[in-house]
PDB file of all heavy atoms in Angstrom:
ATOM      1  N   ILE A   1      82.780  93.274 -25.501  1.00  0.00           N
ATOM      2  CA  ILE A   1      83.650  92.292 -24.851  1.00  0.00           C
ATOM      3  C   ILE A   1      83.287  92.224 -23.372  1.00  0.00           C
ATOM      4  O   ILE A   1      83.197  93.242 -22.692  1.00  0.00           O
ATOM      5  CB  ILE A   1      85.139  92.631 -25.031  1.00  0.00           C
ATOM      6  CG1 ILE A   1      85.520  92.504 -26.514  1.00  0.00           C
ATOM      7  CG2 ILE A   1      86.009  91.704 -24.189  1.00  0.00           C
ATOM      8  CD1 ILE A   1      86.994  92.742 -26.799  1.00  0.00           C
ATOM      9  N   PHE A   2      83.074  91.005 -22.876  1.00  0.00           N
ATOM     10  CA  PHE A   2      82.634  90.791 -21.500  1.00  0.00           C
ATOM     11  C   PHE A   2      83.650  89.926 -20.761  1.00  0.00           C
ATOM     12  O   PHE A   2      84.170  88.955 -21.309  1.00  0.00           O
ATOM     13  CB  PHE A   2      81.258  90.121 -21.473  1.00  0.00           C
ATOM     14  CG  PHE A   2      80.162  90.947 -22.092  1.00  0.00           C
ATOM     15  CD1 PHE A   2      79.991  90.943 -23.474  1.00  0.00           C
ATOM     16  CD2 PHE A   2      79.338  91.734 -21.310  1.00  0.00           C
ATOM     17  CE1 PHE A   2      78.984  91.702 -24.071  1.00  0.00           C
ATOM     18  CE2 PHE A   2      78.333  92.497 -21.896  1.00  0.00           C
ATOM     19  CZ  PHE A   2      78.151  92.483 -23.267  1.00  0.00           C
ATOM     20  N   ILE A   3      83.909  90.275 -19.508  1.00  0.00           N
ATOM     21  CA  ILE A   3      84.803  89.493 -18.655  1.00  0.00           C
ATOM     22  C   ILE A   3      83.960  88.471 -17.907  1.00  0.00           C
ATOM     23  O   ILE A   3      83.070  88.826 -17.130  1.00  0.00           O
ATOM     24  CB  ILE A   3      85.558  90.386 -17.648  1.00  0.00           C
ATOM     25  CG1 ILE A   3      86.289  91.533 -18.372  1.00  0.00           C
ATOM     26  CG2 ILE A   3      86.537  89.544 -16.829  1.00  0.00           C
ATOM     27  CD1 ILE A   3      87.366  91.095 -19.329  1.00  0.00           C
ATOM     28  N   ASN A   4      84.224  87.195 -18.131  1.00  0.00           N
ATOM     29  CA  ASN A   4      83.449  86.128 -17.488  1.00  0.00           C
ATOM     30  C   ASN A   4      84.029  85.670 -16.160  1.00  0.00           C
ATOM     31  O   ASN A   4      83.297  85.174 -15.304  1.00  0.00           O
ATOM     32  CB  ASN A   4      83.342  84.921 -18.429  1.00  0.00           C
ATOM     33  CG  ASN A   4      82.589  85.246 -19.708  1.00  0.00           C
ATOM     34  OD1 ASN A   4      81.663  86.041 -19.708  1.00  0.00           O
ATOM     35  ND2 ASN A   4      82.991  84.622 -20.813  1.00  0.00           N
ATOM     36  N   SER A   5      85.331  85.801 -15.977  1.00  0.00           N
ATOM     37  CA  SER A   5      85.961  85.359 -14.731  1.00  0.00           C
ATOM     38  C   SER A   5      85.582  86.288 -13.584  1.00  0.00           C
ATOM     39  O   SER A   5      85.547  87.506 -13.741  1.00  0.00           O
ATOM     40  CB  SER A   5      87.485  85.324 -14.891  1.00  0.00           C
ATOM     41  OG  SER A   5      87.877  84.344 -15.829  1.00  0.00           O
ATOM     42  N   HIS A   6      85.299  85.683 -12.432  1.00  0.00           N
ATOM     43  CA  HIS A   6      84.945  86.455 -11.252  1.00  0.00           C
ATOM     44  C   HIS A   6      86.199  87.016 -10.581  1.00  0.00           C
ATOM     45  O   HIS A   6      87.331  86.626 -10.880  1.00  0.00           O
ATOM     46  CB  HIS A   6      84.174  85.576 -10.267  1.00  0.00           C
ATOM     47  CG  HIS A   6      82.869  85.072 -10.805  1.00  0.00           C
ATOM     48  ND1 HIS A   6      81.755  85.858 -10.910  1.00  0.00           N
ATOM     49  CD2 HIS A   6      82.510  83.846 -11.282  1.00  0.00           C
ATOM     50  CE1 HIS A   6      80.751  85.153 -11.415  1.00  0.00           C
ATOM     51  NE2 HIS A   6      81.193  83.931 -11.661  1.00  0.00           N
ATOM     52  N   GLU A   7      85.986  87.931  -9.643  1.00  0.00           N
ATOM     53  CA  GLU A   7      87.106  88.523  -8.911  1.00  0.00           C
ATOM     54  C   GLU A   7      87.866  87.468  -8.119  1.00  0.00           C
ATOM     55  O   GLU A   7      89.085  87.518  -7.998  1.00  0.00           O
ATOM     56  CB  GLU A   7      86.595  89.618  -7.956  1.00  0.00           C
ATOM     57  CG  GLU A   7      86.219  90.913  -8.661  1.00  0.00           C
ATOM     58  CD  GLU A   7      87.416  91.565  -9.347  1.00  0.00           C
ATOM     59  OE1 GLU A   7      88.498  91.584  -8.745  1.00  0.00           O
ATOM     60  OE2 GLU A   7      87.262  92.016 -10.491  1.00  0.00           O
ATOM     61  N   ASN A   8      87.116  86.504  -7.554  1.00  0.00           N
ATOM     62  CA  ASN A   8      87.750  85.454  -6.755  1.00  0.00           C
ATOM     63  C   ASN A   8      88.301  84.367  -7.668  1.00  0.00           C
ATOM     64  O   ASN A   8      87.853  83.225  -7.663  1.00  0.00           O
ATOM     65  CB  ASN A   8      86.737  84.859  -5.768  1.00  0.00           C
ATOM     66  CG  ASN A   8      87.376  83.832  -4.849  1.00  0.00           C
ATOM     67  OD1 ASN A   8      88.555  83.929  -4.502  1.00  0.00           O
ATOM     68  ND2 ASN A   8      86.614  82.818  -4.464  1.00  0.00           N
ATOM     69  N   SER A   9      89.285  84.754  -8.466  1.00  0.00           N
ATOM     70  CA  SER A   9      89.888  83.832  -9.436  1.00  0.00           C
ATOM     71  C   SER A   9      91.400  83.987  -9.412  1.00  0.00           C
ATOM     72  O   SER A   9      91.927  85.024  -8.986  1.00  0.00           O
ATOM     73  CB  SER A   9      89.373  84.117 -10.859  1.00  0.00           C
ATOM     74  OG  SER A   9      87.975  83.996 -10.942  1.00  0.00           O
ATOM     75  N   VAL A  10      92.088  82.954  -9.884  1.00  0.00           N
ATOM     76  CA  VAL A  10      93.543  83.061 -10.004  1.00  0.00           C
ATOM     77  C   VAL A  10      93.870  84.031 -11.136  1.00  0.00           C
ATOM     78  O   VAL A  10      93.097  84.155 -12.096  1.00  0.00           O
ATOM     79  CB  VAL A  10      94.172  81.680 -10.274  1.00  0.00           C
ATOM     80  CG1 VAL A  10      94.058  80.783  -9.061  1.00  0.00           C
ATOM     81  CG2 VAL A  10      93.557  81.031 -11.503  1.00  0.00           C
ATOM     82  N   PRO A  11      95.006  84.712 -11.068  1.00  0.00           N
ATOM     83  CA  PRO A  11      95.313  85.729 -12.070  1.00  0.00           C
ATOM     84  C   PRO A  11      95.838  85.197 -13.395  1.00  0.00           C
ATOM     85  O   PRO A  11      96.015  85.973 -14.333  1.00  0.00           O
ATOM     86  CB  PRO A  11      96.390  86.579 -11.372  1.00  0.00           C
ATOM     87  CG  PRO A  11      97.057  85.640 -10.434  1.00  0.00           C
ATOM     88  CD  PRO A  11      95.970  84.714  -9.956  1.00  0.00           C
ATOM     89  N   TYR A  12      96.083  83.906 -13.493  1.00  0.00           N
ATOM     90  CA  TYR A  12      96.688  83.378 -14.722  1.00  0.00           C
ATOM     91  C   TYR A  12      95.671  82.764 -15.676  1.00  0.00           C
ATOM     92  O   TYR A  12      96.044  82.244 -16.720  1.00  0.00           O
ATOM     93  CB  TYR A  12      97.787  82.372 -14.396  1.00  0.00           C
ATOM     94  CG  TYR A  12      97.448  81.380 -13.307  1.00  0.00           C
ATOM     95  CD1 TYR A  12      96.753  80.209 -13.589  1.00  0.00           C
ATOM     96  CD2 TYR A  12      97.815  81.627 -11.996  1.00  0.00           C
ATOM     97  CE1 TYR A  12      96.434  79.325 -12.595  1.00  0.00           C
ATOM     98  CE2 TYR A  12      97.497  80.735 -10.985  1.00  0.00           C
ATOM     99  CZ  TYR A  12      96.815  79.582 -11.292  1.00  0.00           C
ATOM    100  OH  TYR A  12      96.483  78.701 -10.288  1.00  0.00           O
ATOM    101  N   ILE A  13      94.375  82.815 -15.315  1.00  0.00           N
ATOM    102  CA  ILE A  13      93.316  82.379 -16.226  1.00  0.00           C
ATOM    103  C   ILE A  13      92.271  83.482 -16.308  1.00  0.00           C
ATOM    104  O   ILE A  13      91.785  83.963 -15.281  1.00  0.00           O
ATOM    105  CB  ILE A  13      92.653  81.074 -15.751  1.00  0.00           C
ATOM    106  CG1 ILE A  13      93.653  79.915 -15.752  1.00  0.00           C
ATOM    107  CG2 ILE A  13      91.458  80.725 -16.653  1.00  0.00           C
ATOM    108  CD1 ILE A  13      93.077  78.597 -15.235  1.00  0.00           C
ATOM    109  N   LEU A  14      91.939  83.895 -17.526  1.00  0.00           N
ATOM    110  CA  LEU A  14      90.938  84.942 -17.729  1.00  0.00           C
ATOM    111  C   LEU A  14      89.991  84.486 -18.832  1.00  0.00           C
ATOM    112  O   LEU A  14      90.410  84.224 -19.957  1.00  0.00           O
ATOM    113  CB  LEU A  14      91.609  86.257 -18.123  1.00  0.00           C
ATOM    114  CG  LEU A  14      90.679  87.462 -18.302  1.00  0.00           C
ATOM    115  CD1 LEU A  14      89.994  87.827 -16.989  1.00  0.00           C
ATOM    116  CD2 LEU A  14      91.450  88.659 -18.850  1.00  0.00           C
ATOM    117  N   ASN A  15      88.704  84.386 -18.495  1.00  0.00           N
ATOM    118  CA  ASN A  15      87.702  83.970 -19.460  1.00  0.00           C
ATOM    119  C   ASN A  15      86.908  85.188 -19.919  1.00  0.00           C
ATOM    120  O   ASN A  15      86.435  85.969 -19.097  1.00  0.00           O
ATOM    121  CB  ASN A  15      86.759  82.940 -18.836  1.00  0.00           C
ATOM    122  CG  ASN A  15      85.954  82.182 -19.874  1.00  0.00           C
ATOM    123  OD1 ASN A  15      85.099  82.742 -20.554  1.00  0.00           O
ATOM    124  ND2 ASN A  15      86.233  80.884 -20.002  1.00  0.00           N
ATOM    125  N   ILE A  16      86.780  85.361 -21.235  1.00  0.00           N
ATOM    126  CA  ILE A  16      86.070  86.510 -21.796  1.00  0.00           C
ATOM    127  C   ILE A  16      85.109  86.038 -22.878  1.00  0.00           C
ATOM    128  O   ILE A  16      85.185  84.896 -23.333  1.00  0.00           O
ATOM    129  CB  ILE A  16      87.036  87.548 -22.397  1.00  0.00           C
ATOM    130  CG1 ILE A  16      87.700  86.981 -23.662  1.00  0.00           C
ATOM    131  CG2 ILE A  16      88.083  87.993 -21.379  1.00  0.00           C
ATOM    132  CD1 ILE A  16      88.469  88.007 -24.479  1.00  0.00           C
ATOM    133  N   SER A  17      84.197  86.903 -23.283  1.00  0.00           N
ATOM    134  CA  SER A  17      83.333  86.640 -24.434  1.00  0.00           C
ATOM    135  C   SER A  17      83.343  87.847 -25.356  1.00  0.00           C
ATOM    136  O   SER A  17      83.336  88.996 -24.891  1.00  0.00           O
ATOM    137  CB  SER A  17      81.893  86.355 -23.989  1.00  0.00           C
ATOM    138  OG  SER A  17      81.788  85.071 -23.412  1.00  0.00           O
ATOM    139  N   VAL A  18      83.386  87.582 -26.642  1.00  0.00           N
ATOM    140  CA  VAL A  18      83.283  88.624 -27.659  1.00  0.00           C
ATOM    141  C   VAL A  18      81.916  88.449 -28.306  1.00  0.00           C
ATOM    142  O   VAL A  18      81.724  87.579 -29.158  1.00  0.00           O
ATOM    143  CB  VAL A  18      84.411  88.510 -28.706  1.00  0.00           C
ATOM    144  CG1 VAL A  18      84.316  89.669 -29.705  1.00  0.00           C
ATOM    145  CG2 VAL A  18      85.775  88.511 -28.021  1.00  0.00           C
ATOM    146  N   LYS A  19      80.976  89.236 -27.870  1.00  0.00           N
ATOM    147  CA  LYS A  19      79.575  89.061 -28.267  1.00  0.00           C
ATOM    148  C   LYS A  19      79.413  89.141 -29.787  1.00  0.00           C
ATOM    149  O   LYS A  19      79.955  90.022 -30.444  1.00  0.00           O
ATOM    150  CB  LYS A  19      78.706  90.131 -27.599  1.00  0.00           C
ATOM    151  CG  LYS A  19      77.208  89.895 -27.748  1.00  0.00           C
ATOM    152  CD  LYS A  19      76.416  90.907 -26.955  1.00  0.00           C
ATOM    153  CE  LYS A  19      74.920  90.650 -27.079  1.00  0.00           C
ATOM    154  NZ  LYS A  19      74.139  91.641 -26.294  1.00  0.00           N
ATOM    155  N   GLY A  20      78.668  88.163 -30.330  1.00  0.00           N
ATOM    156  CA  GLY A  20      78.368  88.182 -31.751  1.00  0.00           C
ATOM    157  C   GLY A  20      79.326  87.391 -32.619  1.00  0.00           C
ATOM    158  O   GLY A  20      79.125  87.283 -33.831  1.00  0.00           O
ATOM    159  N   ILE A  21      80.386  86.822 -32.011  1.00  0.00           N
ATOM    160  CA  ILE A  21      81.343  86.011 -32.773  1.00  0.00           C
ATOM    161  C   ILE A  21      81.514  84.672 -32.071  1.00  0.00           C
ATOM    162  O   ILE A  21      81.906  84.630 -30.902  1.00  0.00           O
ATOM    163  CB  ILE A  21      82.716  86.702 -32.900  1.00  0.00           C
ATOM    164  CG1 ILE A  21      82.580  88.136 -33.407  1.00  0.00           C
ATOM    165  CG2 ILE A  21      83.633  85.901 -33.823  1.00  0.00           C
ATOM    166  CD1 ILE A  21      83.879  88.894 -33.453  1.00  0.00           C
ATOM    167  N   ARG A  22      81.250  83.583 -32.770  1.00  0.00           N
ATOM    168  CA  ARG A  22      81.383  82.263 -32.178  1.00  0.00           C
ATOM    169  C   ARG A  22      82.847  81.976 -31.838  1.00  0.00           C
ATOM    170  O   ARG A  22      83.759  82.357 -32.561  1.00  0.00           O
ATOM    171  CB  ARG A  22      80.840  81.190 -33.121  1.00  0.00           C
ATOM    172  CG  ARG A  22      79.318  81.196 -33.242  1.00  0.00           C
ATOM    173  CD  ARG A  22      78.822  80.101 -34.152  1.00  0.00           C
ATOM    174  NE  ARG A  22      79.260  78.796 -33.708  1.00  0.00           N
ATOM    175  CZ  ARG A  22      79.958  77.942 -34.455  1.00  0.00           C
ATOM    176  NH1 ARG A  22      80.312  78.283 -35.687  1.00  0.00           N
ATOM    177  NH2 ARG A  22      80.311  76.767 -33.988  1.00  0.00           N
ATOM    178  N   SER A  23      83.041  81.277 -30.732  1.00  0.00           N
ATOM    179  CA  SER A  23      84.381  80.994 -30.222  1.00  0.00           C
ATOM    180  C   SER A  23      85.283  80.354 -31.264  1.00  0.00           C
ATOM    181  O   SER A  23      86.439  80.761 -31.446  1.00  0.00           O
ATOM    182  CB  SER A  23      84.288  80.078 -28.996  1.00  0.00           C
ATOM    183  OG  SER A  23      83.469  80.620 -28.007  1.00  0.00           O
ATOM    184  N   GLU A  24      84.757  79.334 -31.948  1.00  0.00           N
ATOM    185  CA  GLU A  24      85.576  78.589 -32.906  1.00  0.00           C
ATOM    186  C   GLU A  24      86.047  79.483 -34.044  1.00  0.00           C
ATOM    187  O   GLU A  24      87.206  79.411 -34.474  1.00  0.00           O
ATOM    188  CB  GLU A  24      84.780  77.406 -33.450  1.00  0.00           C
ATOM    189  CG  GLU A  24      85.593  76.515 -34.378  1.00  0.00           C
ATOM    190  CD  GLU A  24      84.809  75.316 -34.868  1.00  0.00           C
ATOM    191  OE1 GLU A  24      83.661  75.116 -34.402  1.00  0.00           O
ATOM    192  OE2 GLU A  24      85.332  74.580 -35.720  1.00  0.00           O
ATOM    193  N   ILE A  25      85.173  80.356 -34.519  1.00  0.00           N
ATOM    194  CA  ILE A  25      85.535  81.262 -35.611  1.00  0.00           C
ATOM    195  C   ILE A  25      86.611  82.239 -35.146  1.00  0.00           C
ATOM    196  O   ILE A  25      87.598  82.488 -35.850  1.00  0.00           O
ATOM    197  CB  ILE A  25      84.289  82.025 -36.109  1.00  0.00           C
ATOM    198  CG1 ILE A  25      83.309  81.053 -36.763  1.00  0.00           C
ATOM    199  CG2 ILE A  25      84.681  83.128 -37.090  1.00  0.00           C
ATOM    200  CD1 ILE A  25      81.979  81.660 -37.124  1.00  0.00           C
ATOM    201  N   LEU A  26      86.417  82.776 -33.957  1.00  0.00           N
ATOM    202  CA  LEU A  26      87.369  83.738 -33.418  1.00  0.00           C
ATOM    203  C   LEU A  26      88.714  83.078 -33.127  1.00  0.00           C
ATOM    204  O   LEU A  26      89.779  83.664 -33.385  1.00  0.00           O
ATOM    205  CB  LEU A  26      86.799  84.365 -32.145  1.00  0.00           C
ATOM    206  CG  LEU A  26      87.583  85.515 -31.512  1.00  0.00           C
ATOM    207  CD1 LEU A  26      87.913  86.591 -32.544  1.00  0.00           C
ATOM    208  CD2 LEU A  26      86.801  86.107 -30.352  1.00  0.00           C
ATOM    209  N   LEU A  27      88.661  81.854 -32.628  1.00  0.00           N
ATOM    210  CA  LEU A  27      89.893  81.126 -32.326  1.00  0.00           C
ATOM    211  C   LEU A  27      90.756  80.964 -33.574  1.00  0.00           C
ATOM    212  O   LEU A  27      91.974  81.190 -33.541  1.00  0.00           O
ATOM    213  CB  LEU A  27      89.528  79.769 -31.722  1.00  0.00           C
ATOM    214  CG  LEU A  27      90.662  78.896 -31.173  1.00  0.00           C
ATOM    215  CD1 LEU A  27      90.133  78.032 -30.023  1.00  0.00           C
ATOM    216  CD2 LEU A  27      91.238  77.982 -32.241  1.00  0.00           C
ATOM    217  N   HIS A  28      90.135  80.598 -34.693  1.00  0.00           N
ATOM    218  CA  HIS A  28      90.900  80.389 -35.927  1.00  0.00           C
ATOM    219  C   HIS A  28      91.335  81.717 -36.554  1.00  0.00           C
ATOM    220  O   HIS A  28      92.380  81.779 -37.214  1.00  0.00           O
ATOM    221  CB  HIS A  28      90.082  79.558 -36.913  1.00  0.00           C
ATOM    222  CG  HIS A  28      89.888  78.137 -36.469  1.00  0.00           C
ATOM    223  ND1 HIS A  28      90.942  77.297 -36.193  1.00  0.00           N
ATOM    224  CD2 HIS A  28      88.758  77.416 -36.232  1.00  0.00           C
ATOM    225  CE1 HIS A  28      90.494  76.117 -35.828  1.00  0.00           C
ATOM    226  NE2 HIS A  28      89.169  76.157 -35.831  1.00  0.00           N
ATOM    227  N   PHE A  29      90.555  82.758 -36.341  1.00  0.00           N
ATOM    228  CA  PHE A  29      90.968  84.094 -36.802  1.00  0.00           C
ATOM    229  C   PHE A  29      92.251  84.506 -36.087  1.00  0.00           C
ATOM    230  O   PHE A  29      93.205  85.009 -36.710  1.00  0.00           O
ATOM    231  CB  PHE A  29      89.854  85.112 -36.530  1.00  0.00           C
ATOM    232  CG  PHE A  29      90.212  86.524 -36.888  1.00  0.00           C
ATOM    233  CD1 PHE A  29      90.047  87.001 -38.190  1.00  0.00           C
ATOM    234  CD2 PHE A  29      90.724  87.391 -35.926  1.00  0.00           C
ATOM    235  CE1 PHE A  29      90.391  88.307 -38.518  1.00  0.00           C
ATOM    236  CE2 PHE A  29      91.063  88.697 -36.253  1.00  0.00           C
ATOM    237  CZ  PHE A  29      90.900  89.156 -37.546  1.00  0.00           C
ATOM    238  N   LEU A  30      92.303  84.275 -34.797  1.00  0.00           N
ATOM    239  CA  LEU A  30      93.495  84.615 -34.010  1.00  0.00           C
ATOM    240  C   LEU A  30      94.673  83.723 -34.388  1.00  0.00           C
ATOM    241  O   LEU A  30      95.820  84.173 -34.439  1.00  0.00           O
ATOM    242  CB  LEU A  30      93.186  84.481 -32.516  1.00  0.00           C
ATOM    243  CG  LEU A  30      92.173  85.479 -31.947  1.00  0.00           C
ATOM    244  CD1 LEU A  30      91.780  85.087 -30.522  1.00  0.00           C
ATOM    245  CD2 LEU A  30      92.752  86.894 -31.957  1.00  0.00           C
ATOM    246  N   GLU A  31      94.368  82.451 -34.674  1.00  0.00           N
ATOM    247  CA  GLU A  31      95.427  81.514 -35.043  1.00  0.00           C
ATOM    248  C   GLU A  31      96.153  81.968 -36.306  1.00  0.00           C
ATOM    249  O   GLU A  31      97.371  81.781 -36.437  1.00  0.00           O
ATOM    250  CB  GLU A  31      94.829  80.124 -35.240  1.00  0.00           C
ATOM    251  CG  GLU A  31      95.852  79.046 -35.569  1.00  0.00           C
ATOM    252  CD  GLU A  31      95.211  77.700 -35.817  1.00  0.00           C
ATOM    253  OE1 GLU A  31      93.967  77.646 -35.954  1.00  0.00           O
ATOM    254  OE2 GLU A  31      95.953  76.706 -35.902  1.00  0.00           O
ATOM    255  N   GLU A  32      95.419  82.559 -37.239  1.00  0.00           N
ATOM    256  CA  GLU A  32      96.045  83.058 -38.462  1.00  0.00           C
ATOM    257  C   GLU A  32      97.064  84.152 -38.167  1.00  0.00           C
ATOM    258  O   GLU A  32      97.980  84.388 -38.959  1.00  0.00           O
ATOM    259  CB  GLU A  32      94.971  83.577 -39.412  1.00  0.00           C
ATOM    260  CG  GLU A  32      94.095  82.482 -40.015  1.00  0.00           C
ATOM    261  CD  GLU A  32      93.014  83.035 -40.912  1.00  0.00           C
ATOM    262  OE1 GLU A  32      92.917  84.284 -41.032  1.00  0.00           O
ATOM    263  OE2 GLU A  32      92.258  82.240 -41.502  1.00  0.00           O
ATOM    264  N   LYS A  33      96.904  84.813 -37.022  1.00  0.00           N
ATOM    265  CA  LYS A  33      97.852  85.843 -36.604  1.00  0.00           C
ATOM    266  C   LYS A  33      98.872  85.295 -35.608  1.00  0.00           C
ATOM    267  O   LYS A  33      99.583  86.052 -34.951  1.00  0.00           O
ATOM    268  CB  LYS A  33      97.077  87.014 -35.981  1.00  0.00           C
ATOM    269  CG  LYS A  33      96.126  87.700 -36.956  1.00  0.00           C
ATOM    270  CD  LYS A  33      95.392  88.850 -36.281  1.00  0.00           C
ATOM    271  CE  LYS A  33      94.501  89.567 -37.272  1.00  0.00           C
ATOM    272  NZ  LYS A  33      95.283  90.204 -38.389  1.00  0.00           N
TER     273      LYS A  33
END
């Protein structure tokens, strides 16, 4: 898991990546929960 947002960012948005899993697939996996 990688943090994409830089330090000079607002605290209410955080961008991350989960290596090896496409965003769309992960999004729907989370939606099921």
Side-chain angles (χ1 to χ4, degrees):
I1 294 183
F2 297 82
I3 306 297
N4 297 326
S5 294
H6 297 284
E7 284 297 318
N8 184 32
S9 301
V10 291
Y12 44 85
I13 296 178
L14 183 64
N15 196 293
I16 69 169
S17 286
V18 183
K19 190 174 181 180
I21 309 176
R22 288 181 57 236
S23 304
E24 184 178 354
I25 293 172
L26 187 51
L27 187 150
H28 291 303
F29 176 85
L30 293 170
E31 183 183 12
E32 290 178 358
K33 298 180 177 297

